[in-house]
Amino acid sequence: MNADEERQFREFVAARSRSLLHTAYLLTGDWEQGRDLLQTALASTARRWSKLRDREQPELYVRRALYHAQVDRFRLLSWGRETVTDTLPDQPSGKGADWADTVVQRQDIMTALRRLPKRQRAVIVLRYFEDRPDAEIAAILGVAQGTVRSQTHKALTSLRTALAGSGPSASSSTASGRGVTA
């Protein structure tokens, strides 16, 4: 990578790293793992920066690298790290909505997202948290638009089921404010 390409890459990272980190967090469910995932994707992108065909769309390449790095990490991890249960943990009692309720709702949503298969989670993150259209999601993930729609349907069904026990307000909102029931 020559000096001009390095400058372009640094400018890209400075401009887009916050948004990319947010996506990585949503894919992993953990800030530290998200930072590691983003670092891996950016390192991969830096190695190929001079060979990127479309310099106007490097973010698409990085997002695809994020998704693929997350899938690779998942394959390497032991399957025994998570405990799957039929019921969600007990919810706090009380009907007053306050900041603590919002935190609990977000934790419930993140728990439900973590339980989704990786492709379904990626589709939900790209669609509802990043507001991307089917065609762009399909390009990022390297799948057909029909696959995006079917994975979205399956993911929303799973999320509705998972969030049904946590109360009506949790199943109708997300961290970004848009409904999961759309």
Side-chain angles (χ1 to χ4, degrees):
M1 179 182 310
N2 64 34
D4 188 45
E5 290 170 341
E6 183 177 345
R7 180 190 51 77
Q8 290 173 352
F9 179 73
R10 287 179 184 272
E11 288 172 358
F12 168 75
V13 171
R16 301 304 305 152
S17 63
R18 183 174 179 162
S19 173
L20 293 167
L21 177 59
H22 191 239
T23 299
Y25 164 71
L26 291 170
L27 287 171
T28 62
D30 180 79
W31 283 110
E32 291 305 317
Q33 289 181 18
R35 285 184 184 95
D36 290 345
L37 182 65
L38 178 57
Q39 187 68 26
T40 300
L42 288 174
S44 173
T45 304
R47 286 191 299 272
R48 292 170 183 83
W49 187 258
S50 61
K51 295 176 183 147
L52 286 178
R53 290 183 202 144
D54 188 2
R55 286 297 176 92
E56 301 302 317
Q57 294 288 337
E59 189 167 347
L60 180 65
Y61 183 88
V62 175
R63 289 186 187 282
R64 182 177 287 167
L66 277 172
Y67 169 72
H68 288 290
Q70 173 63 4
V71 169
D72 291 344
R73 286 175 143 215
F74 179 73
R75 288 178 182 155
L76 294 174
L77 293 175
S78 166
W79 285 86
R81 292 183 70 188
E82 294 183 18
T83 304
V84 179
T85 62
D86 290 337
T87 58
L88 290 173
D90 291 335
Q91 298 297 316
S93 60
K95 298 184 181 198
D98 61 10
W99 181 248
D101 291 338
T102 303
V103 171
V104 170
Q105 286 177 351
R106 287 183 181 174
Q107 288 175 339
D108 289 344
I109 291 168
M110 287 307 299
T111 299
L113 275 173
R114 280 187 208 102
R115 290 182 179 160
L116 290 175
K118 297 300 178 187
R119 183 176 288 170
Q120 289 179 16
R121 183 188 311 174
V123 167
I124 292 297
V125 168
L126 292 169
R127 162 81 49 80
Y128 294 102
F129 290 90
E130 294 193 4
D131 200 25
R132 300 198 180 267
D134 285 349
E136 192 172 336
I137 295 168
I140 289 170
L141 301 181
V143 299
Q145 287 186 38
T147 302
V148 170
R149 287 189 291 272
S150 70
Q151 293 295 303
T152 301
H153 174 74
K154 290 175 184 177
L156 289 176
T157 300
S158 296
L159 288 173
R160 284 183 191 116
T161 302
L163 296 173
S166 50
S169 61
S171 63
S172 64
S173 67
T174 65
S176 68
R178 281 176 281 182
V180 174
T181 58

